[in-house]
Amino acid sequence: MKKSLKIEVKPSTGMLQDVSGKTDDFLKSIGLPDKTVVAQNAILKELIKNATRYGKSSSGQSSMTIRVDISADSITVELSNAVD
């Protein structure tokens, strides 16, 4: 079982709730326990906050790609953003 979710966003008001909602729905649709979903979203929120705070380009514009990959025995969360 390998499933993936990819979200592309620009930092904005409400972005954390939007991303959190999408990842919640994705993880729950796979059948992961609520405890795992909550823990994964806590980690993802911290990654997003850090990228928003420190990952800006010189123009001040920034976008992020968030990818969540699920395999039989792991959850991989990847966040990338372009910086100068």
Side-chain angles (χ1 to χ4, degrees), residues 11-28:
S12 65
T13 304
M15 179 212 28
L16 275 176
Q17 272 109 3
D18 183 46
V19 170
S20 180
K22 288 178 182 177
T23 55
D24 271 1
D25 292 344
F26 171 67
L27 296 173
K28 287 178 181 177

Side-chain angles (χ1 to χ4, degrees), residues 17-72:
Q17 272 109 3
D18 183 46
V19 170
S20 180
K22 288 178 182 177
T23 55
D24 271 1
D25 292 344
F26 171 67
L27 296 173
K28 287 178 181 177
S29 74
I30 294 171
L32 293 177
D34 287 342
K35 184 178 179 179
T36 302
V37 173
V38 169
Q40 186 278 328
N41 267 324
I43 293 165
L44 182 59
K45 285 179 183 178
E46 289 304 314
L47 289 171
I48 291 171
K49 286 179 187 177
N50 189 43
T52 302
R53 185 175 296 137
Y54 301 111
K56 297 193 185 219
S57 66
S58 61
S59 67
Q61 298 296 318
S62 176
S63 64
M64 290 183 246
T65 302
I66 300 155
R67 186 175 177 100
V68 181
D69 294 314
I70 308 291
S71 68

